[in-house]
Amino acid sequence: MQIPEKSRKSGDIKGARWALTLSVSLWGVIAGSAVAAQQAEAPSVPPGEADEADGKDIAAPAPPPPGASLPQVEPIIEDEEFQKAIPPIGAEDDPELDRPLESIAEFERRQAAKERQEGEDAAVPVAGGTPVPALADGDTAEAIGDAPISDSELAAPLPPLDSFNVEPVQFAESEPDRDDVKIRYKVEVNGLAAADESTDIDLADLFHDLSALYDGDGEAANGAMIRARLSADAELMQRILASEGYYDAVVDTRIDRSGREQGDPLKAVVDVTPGVRYKFSEITIKADPTVPPRLIDDNFPLKVGEPIVAERVQGAEAAIALKLPQEGYPFAKVEQRDILLDGATGEGAYTLPVEIGPRARFGGFETTGDLAFDAEHVAVLSRFERGDLYDSRMVDDLRQAMVASGLFSTVAVEPQRTGESAGDDTEYVTMMVTQQAGPPRTLAASAGYGTGEGIRLEGSWMHRNLFPPEGALIVRGVAGTQEQGLGVTFRRSNAGRRDKTFELVAEATRSDYNAFEALTGRVGVRWSYDSTPLWQKRWTYAYGAELIATSEDDYDFTRGARNRDFYTIFGLTGQIGMDRTDSLLDPTKGFRITALVQPEGSMRGHFSPYARVRLDASGYYPVTDSIVLAGRVRVGSIMGAARERLAPSRRFYAGGGGSVRGFGYQQLGPKDPNLDPIGGRSLNEAAVEARYRFGNFGVVGFVDAGQVYRGSTPTFSDMRFGAGIGARYYTIFGPMRIDVATPIDRQPGEARISVYVSIGQAF
């Protein structure tokens, strides 16, 4: 009988429930006796076993479903016989039947008291027997959960962690040192060769580079560590194979101990069953029409029938995400791909949604944040104008130009929609420039040494934006054994045009070399278009003017002694350069050519005009990835004035770290009777280097040659040679070098060894 849920939750039928339970129990006893009597006449068959006569299981009949009427069955005994068999039941026969039933709570309390009494009785000593031992607190029985704590230490509060002192356990015998106990193993990969041959990458080599087993170098602390590495490598192998289109690959691992008895290491075995390699059966790109119409299709490299390789899929999607913003779609977005694999055919249907957004043209500029300069100067730095089709490469160029200014800690350039029509189904976008100005001041220092030049220390202080936008003030000082100086420079970068620089310079120097001793003041102005480490340009130029006032000594051959004169020099400068190398500070291929023309006039009693001309060329050829051959030539001439009419500091000299190594600074060319150089009106130089780089270090072998001549035309005769070896340490700002050289066919008075230390390659 089942009680409805509502009734079972009601507290008003407790008495009815107990009455129902009792009547059902009585009926079960009577009915059970009758059934037992009937079954006693039948053979005993265990429940669930098949009857050998008819092959059917004997089991209790299933109860009827709720609400169904019970089937009519014939009674086992007649009602009259049943009534006669029931003994008389009534209050007169058994007074206990009319007594009220006790509550469950009273029943439980009575049972608990009975159990406690039985426990006490069990603890009483039995005559001639052994008493039951008492508990720790002396009691012979105790209720669980009610035991009192008689040990005060158990009830004491725990000490704080910072005062808890752990005493090491002292063993009677020291534990064996197991630090050097290792389990040796080797790795075996089976079944990968077929998949490896079908791919463009070396799967075995890739697995080797990433494997935890191989990374362990064949040793483990225990077997559990080997199993953990096997498990990790199994997942790794699954990912590697899936990345190449083997999505059904099965990877099993095991540890082979068969060679342990012979002393061989364990084998960590990876068994690979690559399965079928999935291919594209269909490629669908869901996107709105573009301009030009096949912009996406022509730049999407995946083809039907090729394997599904994760790297190619990601590369193809990246190509679309890169190409659309370059062709006027700044808000294009590549959505999540979907690849539906068919295990029966080994094919996959690829679907890629692409949201192209509106086609756009460049509009104006806006700027926000901690500004280093305003939106007007941002427009000077940009290489695009209003109305040009949007191109993300031009946006990156603008951001890099702002970074190259050195004025920002962070800077971002992003397009913003305006909704303003630009015609031709396009709209204008505003370039939002977010600036975060960085520290504007810089301290810098450098040091070098050269035979004949001595030690040279140079330091500078610069405020890069003292006169916005990009107006820098630079204070520079030189302290050396043979040169001292102080100079101030005002420099305006990106002056009215991108990459154009304007400079005003004022400086005073003192020089004390074997060739001359001079006190010089100079002011100059210069406009230039130069390369920088961030912006290396193919074509560079510079032009300007300078005024020099200098007092210098020179050897007077008519008097046979050195004589000091004062020179006033006014000159113009023009320079043009072409650069086809791959690096400004450390080129490895390409060439450079630079031409310099300096028309000047010297006042020493009367005006003497002349022109200085110099041509430099260098080339670089990579023999291997680590070996580069480099060479250079230099030719110079001064035309229009005799050597004696030229200030000694304006003549040509050769020798030294930036000229012909193996000789002292300015030591080549004509000399006076004291063997001091006096300079000349023409020169030629050449050098060849073999540069070998390994990591951040390098070794250079070199041969240099050069000479200075009295006349204005270099004759390429009487060339002097020097040879040596150098070391390089490559840093993020260029190589640091130290060169040691010796002159070939050394002459009297020339140093046997010359040393040069500086930053950057020799050329």
Side-chain angles (χ1 to χ4, degrees):
M1 182 173 188
Q2 184 172 356
I3 302 173
E5 184 69 22
K6 183 175 180 180
S7 299
R8 285 189 287 134
K9 294 182 180 179
S10 173
D12 299 333
I13 62 168
K14 291 183 180 179
R17 186 182 305 165
W18 280 100
L20 177 64
T21 304
L22 179 62
S23 61
V24 170
S25 300
L26 291 174
W27 171 252
V29 171
I30 298 170
S33 301
V35 173
Q38 184 182 22
Q39 289 180 344
E41 302 176 359
S44 176
V45 179
E49 292 189 5
D51 186 274
E52 293 181 356
D54 55 10
K56 297 181 181 179
D57 290 341
I58 300 175
S69 60
L70 295 174
Q72 297 295 328
V73 294
E74 301 223 353
I76 299 175
I77 59 175
E78 297 295 335
D79 290 344
E80 294 179 0
E81 185 180 355
F82 175 72
Q83 294 294 336
K84 292 178 181 181
I86 297 176
I89 301 175
E92 64 277 4
D93 300 307
D94 188 355
E96 294 293 327
L97 294 177
D98 287 342
R99 180 176 296 177
L101 294 175
E102 63 180 340
S103 66
I104 294 178
E106 293 174 351
F107 174 77
E108 290 178 346
R109 283 196 296 271
R110 184 166 55 82
Q111 287 296 108
K114 182 180 179 181
E115 291 174 358
R116 285 196 299 270
Q117 183 63 38
E118 291 175 353
E120 293 173 358
D121 295 342
V124 176
V126 180
T130 303
V132 176
L135 298 176
D137 57 0
D139 294 341
T140 57
E142 203 161 80
I144 300 300
D146 295 332
I149 300 175
S150 60
D151 190 343
S152 60
E153 289 298 324
L154 294 178
L158 292 175
L161 289 177
D162 55 359
S163 65
F164 188 71
N165 184 23
V166 179
E167 296 293 339
V169 177
Q170 299 295 329
F171 293 95
E173 296 181 0
S174 61
E175 288 187 311
D177 187 4
R178 301 181 57 86
D179 291 344
D180 57 348
V181 176
K182 299 289 184 181
I183 297 179
R184 295 187 303 114
Y185 68 88
K186 61 182 180 180
V187 184
E188 182 177 300
V189 180
N190 301 319
L192 188 61
D196 208 348
E197 293 176 358
S198 66
T199 63
D200 294 333
I201 65 173
D202 190 336
L203 298 181
D205 186 63
L206 179 60
F207 176 75
H208 184 281
D209 292 342
L210 302 176
S211 165
L213 287 168
Y214 283 113
D215 189 56
D217 295 329
E219 289 186 348
N222 48 54
M225 182 176 291
I226 299 178
R227 287 190 292 272
R229 292 174 182 176
L230 268 171
S231 177
D233 280 4
E235 296 180 5
L236 171 65
M237 184 65 78
Q238 290 276 177
R239 294 196 300 270
I240 290 175
L241 290 170
S243 70
E244 289 296 316
Y246 291 97
Y247 293 100
D248 295 337
V250 177
V251 180
D252 296 319
T253 60
R254 54 192 169 89
I255 298 178
D256 185 355
R257 295 179 171 85
S258 59
R260 292 281 285 175
E261 295 181 357
Q262 292 77 26
D264 295 334
L266 297 176
K267 284 185 182 179
V269 183
V270 181
D271 294 318
V272 181
T273 305
V276 65
R277 192 181 193 190
Y278 282 77
K279 299 181 179 180
F280 288 113
S281 62
E282 181 181 349
I283 296 177
T284 303
I285 300 178
K286 297 181 178 180
D288 293 335
T290 61
V291 179
R294 293 186 55 83
L295 178 60
I296 296 179
D297 294 339
D298 292 343
N299 291 278
F300 194 73
L302 298 183
K303 304 297 180 185
V304 172
E306 71 173 82
I308 304 177
V309 179
E311 185 177 3
R312 282 188 52 78
V313 171
Q314 294 171 348
E317 294 172 359
I320 295 301
L322 184 66
K323 189 64 177 178
L324 286 173
Q326 292 177 356
E327 298 294 332
Y329 295 93
F331 308 106
K333 185 185 300 182
V334 176
E335 304 289 352
Q336 180 62 45
R337 78 183 76 87
D338 180 70
I339 302 179
L340 182 61
L341 301 177
D342 188 344
T345 62
E347 295 178 333
Y350 173 87
T351 303
L352 181 67
V354 179
E355 182 181 342
I356 64 173
R359 195 162 179 250
R361 298 184 181 276
F362 288 113
F365 293 91
E366 292 183 9
T367 188
T368 185
D370 184 7
L371 305 185
F373 44 72
D374 56 19
E376 182 178 354
H377 192 65
V378 173
V380 172
L381 297 177
S382 68
R383 298 186 189 273
F384 53 83
E385 297 179 355
R386 178 179 173 85
D388 290 347
L389 188 66
Y390 182 90
D391 189 338
S392 60
R393 291 168 294 189
M394 295 293 101
V395 178
D396 292 339
D397 175 84
L398 173 60
R399 183 185 60 81
Q400 292 176 21
M402 297 183 69
V403 171
S405 70
L407 297 177
F408 302 97
S409 57
T410 60
V411 62
V413 183
E414 297 177 333
Q416 301 287 335
R417 292 192 62 174
T418 65
E420 180 184 357
S421 174
D424 195 22
D425 292 329
T426 62
E427 67 176 53
Y428 287 112
V429 292
T430 295
M431 302 311 301
M432 176 61 69
V433 180
T434 303
Q435 305 180 28
Q436 185 64 42
R441 299 170 183 83
T442 299
L443 286 173
S446 63
Y449 172 80
T451 301
E453 291 179 274
I455 298 174
R456 176 186 172 91
L457 302 175
E458 182 174 342
S460 65
W461 174 90
M462 176 172 62
H463 192 303
R464 293 186 298 274
N465 204 31
L466 185 61
F467 308 99
E470 297 193 74
L473 181 67
I474 306 166
V475 179
R476 170 179 165 270
V478 176
T481 56
Q482 294 178 269
E483 182 180 353
Q484 303 83 42
L486 181 66
V488 178
T489 301
F490 168 76
R491 183 177 67 200
R492 174 81 72 186
S493 300
N494 300 300
R497 180 189 171 192
R498 166 80 173 268
D499 301 328
K500 190 173 183 180
T501 302
F502 170 75
E503 286 184 337
L504 283 174
V505 181
E507 61 184 11
T509 60
R510 176 185 179 274
S511 305
D512 186 8
Y513 298 108
N514 291 337
F516 59 87
E517 190 274 328
L519 293 173
T520 304
R522 172 179 173 268
V523 293
V525 59
R526 184 175 184 264
W527 289 264
S528 63
Y529 183 79
D530 297 320
S531 284
T532 67
L534 286 178
W535 285 103
Q536 184 176 349
K537 303 171 181 63
R538 290 192 172 186
W539 291 97
T540 60
Y541 64 84
Y543 57 90
E546 59 184 351
L547 178 64
I548 301 172
T550 179
S551 174
E552 304 180 5
D553 69 339
D554 188 20
Y555 187 82
D556 189 342
F557 282 90
T558 60
R559 297 174 54 187
R562 301 191 72 86
N563 184 40
R564 177 172 290 275
D565 286 319
F566 185 82
Y567 300 86
T568 302
I569 304 168
F570 176 77
L572 302 176
T573 298
Q575 176 180 306
I576 186 170
M578 181 174 63
D579 190 344
R580 292 294 186 270
T581 61
D582 60 340
S583 173
L584 185 66
L585 297 177
D586 186 26
T588 60
K589 62 181 178 180
F591 65 92
R592 293 173 180 161
I593 299 176
T594 303
L596 173 68
V597 178
Q598 293 178 307
E600 295 180 354
S602 174
M603 292 292 296
R604 184 190 171 206
H606 62 277
F607 183 73
S608 298
Y610 57 91
R612 293 161 48 92
V613 180
R614 194 182 72 198
L615 180 68
D616 292 270
S618 59
Y620 312 88
Y621 178 75
V623 179
T624 67
D625 291 340
S626 56
I627 298 178
V628 175
L629 293 180
R632 76 171 183 92
V633 295
R634 171 180 289 175
V635 179
S637 176
I638 300 176
M639 301 170 287
R643 186 188 64 187
E644 291 74 14
R645 303 297 300 176
L646 300 173
S649 62
R650 307 304 290 173
R651 302 170 188 170
F652 284 126
Y653 298 89
S659 178
V660 182
R661 288 163 290 184
F663 300 90
Y665 181 65
Q666 300 179 336
Q667 290 299 311
L668 290 182
K671 292 183 172 61
D672 62 18
N674 299 320
L675 298 182
D676 290 328
I678 57 176
R681 293 196 296 154
S682 63
L683 89 161
N684 50 247
E685 295 175 355
V688 176
E689 285 189 350
R691 301 172 180 173
Y692 172 63
R693 177 173 179 174
F694 49 98
N696 290 329
F697 298 90
V699 177
V700 175
F702 55 85
V703 176
D704 293 357
Q707 189 57 276
V708 175
Y709 306 96
R710 294 179 181 272
S712 60
T713 303
T715 62
F716 300 93
S717 62
D718 194 23
M719 297 281 288
R720 298 298 310 277
F721 295 86
I725 189 170
R728 302 289 185 269
Y729 176 68
Y730 294 88
T731 67
I732 58 174
F733 53 84
M736 299 179 65
R737 69 181 176 106
I738 176 171
D739 292 335
V740 179
T742 185
I744 298 176
D745 190 20
R746 185 169 63 92
Q747 303 297 318
E750 295 177 343
R752 186 180 299 274
I753 296 294
S754 296
V755 180
Y756 314 94
V757 180
S758 66
I759 297 176
Q761 297 285 10
F763 57 90

